[in-house]
Amino acid sequence: MTQRTRRTGTGRGKSTPGGESGFRLSPKVRKILLWSGVSFIGALALGTLAILLLFLYFSYGTNLPSVENLKSYQPEQAIRILDRDGAFLGYLGSTKRTMVPIGKMPKVLIDAVVSAEDSKFFKHEGLNYLGMVRAFWVNFWAGRYKQGGSTITQQVVKILLLSPERRLRRKFQEVILARRLEQKL
């Protein structure tokens, strides 16, 4: 018994045993369809992320302290008590610190602090997104807070404007304020 070839309306299909038409896409069409699907899924993910970020911004970004207050920030200092001859007697107050203008600090000290705390400080604009993603994944897989991804700017915001609590809400507020701080100062 011989098999017959059945033609489809397009003239492209070849018959297979059983009379079914075999439909094949060219590699170029397959590649286009694959990239279209990947692009669609990527756009959907980015759109969802944008909506989530807008929701978080309007939920947590309102009623935040002003970064303008940091322009006139004066840290608490202990009062040095001297006798009438100028000899040091002691401190009055709980915080013992001496203010040193940034111009009087050695460059090597500044470089050491920046290197230890935020090596990309002079390259980013207040937020190190890769560092935050890295810290998120390390903490997620560890099941606890194991690593931080904060920049020096975020640490300043946390210490001077927010609380030290470890909550997602405070972290999101820290991100918003760090961006504001970089833009204003």
Side-chain angles (χ1 to χ4, degrees), residues 19-39:
E20 294 180 27
S21 171
F23 182 74
R24 291 190 174 177
L25 295 173
S26 71
K28 187 175 184 178
V29 172
R30 273 195 234 162
K31 192 175 185 179
I32 290 171
L33 287 174
L34 174 70
W35 282 111
S36 297
V38 168
S39 299

Side-chain angles (χ1 to χ4, degrees), residues 99-138:
M99 294 297 297
V100 178
I102 191 114
K104 290 192 174 189
M105 290 184 189
K107 183 171 177 359
V108 70
L109 173 65
I110 295 169
D111 291 342
V113 170
V114 168
S115 176
E117 289 295 323
D118 184 3
S119 62
K120 296 180 178 158
F121 178 73
F122 295 109
K123 295 176 185 165
H124 60 68
E125 294 180 357
L127 299 169
N128 182 352
Y129 297 103
L130 290 176
M132 287 190 294
V133 169
R134 173 193 37 79
F136 171 79
W137 282 113
V138 167

